[in-house]
Amino acid sequence: MLATLLASGEAHHLTTQLFFAALLVGLILCLAFEEKLHAKKSVIAGGFATLCLLLGAGFGILPFEPLMLAGHELDLPVYIPAIEWDVIAIILGSSLFIDITSRSGLFTWIAIKLTKASGGDPRRLLWFYGLMTVVFSAVLNNVTAMIIVGSLTAVSLERLERKKLLFAFLLVEGLLTNVGGLLTLISSVPNIIVGTTAGISFGHFFLVASPYVAVATAATLWMGAKRFKVPQLKTTEEREAAALQVAGFDESDGVPSRFDFWFGAVSLLAFIAVIAGASALPLIRDLGMGYVAMGFAALALLRFRSTADRFYRELDWDLLAFFCGLFVVINVMEHAGVLDLIGQGLGSILALGETTGASLMLGTSAVASSVTDNIPLAAMLARILDADPTIGSNSASPFWWSVVFGANLGGNLTPIGSASTLVAVTVMHKHNLTIGFVGFIKKALPFAVMQIVLAVLYLLLLGALA
Amino acid sequence: MTGIDKFESVFRATLRDDFKLAPLVFKKVLVLTDVQAAPDEGRAMLASATTMLPSATEIELHMLAMDAPISVTLELVAREAPDLVVTHRGLASPSWRQPFTVGENLEVLTQVAAPPVLALPHPLVAAPPTKAPGKIMALTDQLAGNSDLVNAALALTPDDGQLVLCHVEDTRSFERFLDVIAKLPSIDTEQARDEISARLAKEPTDFAESVRAALEPKGRKVSILITRGAHTRDYVELVELEDAGLVVMGTRDASQLAMHGMAHALAIELRTTPMLLF
């Protein structure tokens, strides 16, 4: 057998695959221990990308021939087409646009209005903040949503003299960011990667994801209120006193001007509408969602044309550079046949079919993304699924959804599983609520398991309905 | 962390401590003077108190001996339990002629006795007011959230009088912090100056506006003066500029035994202006 392999050159190919697979494992481990290494994601991914390119060239696996585009020969460096520029454009454009919109005070205004509408009742406040977390996570990115809701929670509970409930609120909100991150195609990076690879439209994504998000949100909030004994105000005096406390918030204070506020509100609604209809709108359909995001960012910048550089400085360049590095690494892995190797490994799961296989894929993705970054996981699995002739050509395949659900919800299993839960833990630490790795898992596990079980049941239901 | 801190700041900035109206009524008033000021001056003080406090139902005059120890004064106040003590600077104090002190009796009264103290000029320095003041100035370096000060001032503001809410931001502290900020490369000095300055002015202004919103519908006249100053003379100039007939200041400081810094200095400087010290 070995002799046959050697003779056919397959052993050499396998050695290359294993060598590059080890590099991939190294990248994943470095990303998992990012905090311990005191290194930014972009530096880790950039370092591995540089190394992979050099080794890829050395092993002779990289395609250095010129690219042909519409009959024209393009002489691009090999790492340029390796990057998925539409994903980068979506992330860059939407981050810029959302940052500009948030300067309008719109999100602060909504957050304070909801706080006042709760009347200061802790149970109602938990529900309102929970729903707000989900909606903000869907519209913004999970991290920004958690920062907004988490910081408001700390301030309002302090105001209501209910700081003992801060841990419960932050934990539930942190867990809900990853549920809210499932709502739309642009709510989280795994959604963008998997959705664009599978060819799922914004509208279809929303229609499939929203029932699950509604049920999982309600279940998480109900469970959070029960487990942490979040009280409901009973007497009229209690209600009046609490209402007076939250009435001290002035929602107009965070709004720089009425014009900015309405500009932010209208442009955000227009952005959602155009993104939602991107697959149906002529011209836009061809230009893609990246164009929509970048276009809206450019339009919004017109309002702040003289201070546009401030927004450029605020961009998460670490995240963008990380994506570029990651895409390059994955591209090299593709050429080295590593993705084929993983695909073969996953073949046994895929072979189980759309019911058992997809459920198992969801669980596996969730466990994997709980200890490492869900972005490389989603990017890698999306490439593998895309390469499968049956799944790649079928955007309705439940395997796509199993990766989406697993990659998002897995983040709730550990405090390092997602950036937004890490933000929740950071807010806890800022307010002297110390919780360790195991402590977090103990508190979060029942919620995460419930959400994953609900997702599996939902996938099965979708399969049955199909 | 930066983002969390930024949004916490945004939300904290939206929190407002609006004025809470809790009317104070000085029904039982204890007028304290000393034998040196009596008897005519004592009667003049009684008349003055009656004029300034139309809601008072029980006004009692007590003469203290010039050498009366402070314990006697405190016992008297504790026994009578008035809502307000009306007295004068240099009460039962041999140093009443000295412009450098308000006298030990008055000083201890303002810090130890429970009721607020209306300190009139010494009767031999200036005659007690014969009519209710037209302008009552609530003067502080911390107006935001200071409902007690406003309620106290309001209790002595006649229906046709004008309540002046005056907040003086301490320039020296501000400049000292700005000097430090100017040495920190991570903070833009000009931006810090503008933003801190605006924020420092906004909080007392918002509070004063909430006072106005609460009182003007009741027919009360409220004016707002938010300014900067550092020295006692800045405060004195403000009082003179506004031609205030009565100055209201908080004197108690939970962290110290002595009277609150600027209140003590002003109580000495404003020798001819009645002051409500609480």
Side-chain angles (χ1 to χ4, degrees), chain B residues 6 20 28 39 56-57 67 80 87 188 192 195 199 203-204 208 229:
Chain B
K6 186 174 88 178
K20 293 177 186 73
K28 185 173 180 182
T57 52
D67 56 354
E80 294 293 328
T87 186
D188 184 309
E195 291 189 11
R199 192 75 226 170
E203 290 184 359

Side-chain angles (χ1 to χ4, degrees), chain B residues 144-218:
Chain B
N146 202 343
S147 293
D148 289 347
L149 176 76
V150 180
N151 282 314
L154 203 58
L156 289 175
T157 307
D159 289 345
D160 58 346
Q162 185 180 356
L163 177 61
V164 183
L165 302 175
C166 184
H167 172 94
V168 184
E169 198 61 54
D170 187 358
T171 321
R172 278 181 301 192
S173 302
F174 179 72
E175 291 301 334
R176 196 168 67 244
F177 283 110
L178 255 292
D179 280 349
V180 174
I181 287 171
K183 292 168 190 165
L184 300 175
S186 56
I187 303 176
D188 184 309
T189 310
E190 278 314 301
Q191 190 184 353
R193 176 179 286 277
D194 293 346
E195 291 189 11
I196 295 172
S197 185
R199 192 75 226 170
L200 284 172
K202 187 178 185 308
E203 290 184 359
T205 307
D206 284 348
F207 179 78
E209 289 298 346
S210 76
V211 176
R212 185 179 263 165
L215 298 182
E216 284 195 342
K218 296 179 194 299

Side-chain angles (χ1 to χ4, degrees), chain B residues 59-115:
Chain B
I59 302 180
E60 210 170 304
L61 177 68
H62 274 264
M63 299 282 186
L64 298 173
M66 270 310 284
D67 56 354
I70 184 63
S71 56
V72 170
T73 318
L74 291 174
E75 275 168 27
L76 175 66
V77 173
R79 192 172 61 245
E80 294 293 328
D83 298 319
L84 176 74
V85 173
V86 179
T87 186
H88 54 77
R89 289 170 175 79
L91 173 70
S93 171
S95 59
W96 69 270
R97 284 181 197 278
Q98 300 297 327
F100 313 105
T101 175
V102 292
E104 60 278 16
N105 268 282
L106 179 56
E107 197 161 328
V108 175
L109 262 180
T110 59
Q111 294 308 97
V112 180

Side-chain angles (χ1 to χ4, degrees), chain A residues 116-166:
Chain A
K116 289 169 98 166
S118 76
D121 182 289
R123 181 83 62 86
R124 208 185 299 167
L125 201 64
L126 178 71
W127 275 83
F128 282 17
Y129 281 3
L131 293 173
M132 184 162 65
T133 308
V134 169
V135 175
F136 280 11
S137 298
V139 180
L140 308 164
N141 63 64
N142 293 5
V143 170
T144 310
M146 188 62 227
I147 288 174
I148 294 177
V149 182
S151 46
L152 174 63
T153 303
V155 175
S156 57
L157 290 181
E158 193 178 296
R159 175 78 168 181
L160 290 165
E161 292 165 12
R162 297 242 179 218
K163 277 204 89 169
K164 282 184 181 171
L165 294 173
L166 185 58

Side-chain angles (χ1 to χ4, degrees), chain A residues 317-440:
Chain A
W317 291 108
D318 176 55
L319 186 74
L320 290 165
F322 163 64
F323 282 126
C324 293
L326 179 68
F327 284 135
V328 171
V329 171
I330 290 175
N331 188 261
V332 175
M333 295 300 150
E334 200 172 5
H335 291 301
V338 176
L339 299 191
D340 290 339
L341 195 67
I342 300 168
Q344 284 163 23
L346 288 173
S348 53
I349 293 179
L350 301 179
L352 290 171
E354 293 192 341
T355 307
T356 317
S359 305
L360 198 59
M361 175 75 93
L362 193 155
T364 315
S365 311
V367 172
S369 73
S370 71
V371 286
T372 186
D373 204 305
N374 62 5
I375 296 165
L377 179 85
M380 208 169 58
L381 290 176
R383 288 277 182 98
I384 292 165
L385 293 180
D386 196 35
D388 185 285
T390 324
I391 301 167
S393 59
N394 178 19
S395 65
S397 168
F399 282 104
W400 295 114
W401 289 102
S402 62
V403 175
V404 168
F405 281 115
N408 279 286
L409 297 175
N412 284 344
L413 285 164
T414 65
I416 57 156
S418 77
S420 51
T421 44
L422 201 58
V423 171
V425 173
T426 310
V427 182
M428 287 173 192
H429 286 178
K430 188 171 186 266
H431 294 274
N432 302 320
L433 297 166
T434 44
I435 184 163
F437 191 89
V438 178
F440 181 93

Side-chain angles (χ1 to χ4, degrees), chain A residues 108 111-112 147-148 151-152 154-155 158-159 248-250 253-254 314 423 426-427 430-431, chain B residues 1 3-18 20 191 199 202 206:
Chain A
T108 317
I112 292 172
I147 288 174
I148 294 177
S151 46
L152 174 63
V155 175
E158 193 178 296
R159 175 78 168 181
F249 281 105
D250 179 9
D253 195 277
E314 295 283 320
V423 171
T426 310
V427 182
K430 188 171 186 266
H431 294 274
Chain B
M1 201 68 173
I4 297 165
D5 201 56
K6 186 174 88 178
F7 274 99
E8 276 202 16
S9 302
V10 168
F11 289 119
R12 280 187 206 287
T14 65
L15 270 174
R16 282 172 54 158
D17 278 314
D18 283 347
K20 293 177 186 73
Q191 190 184 353
R199 192 75 226 170
K202 187 178 185 308
D206 284 348

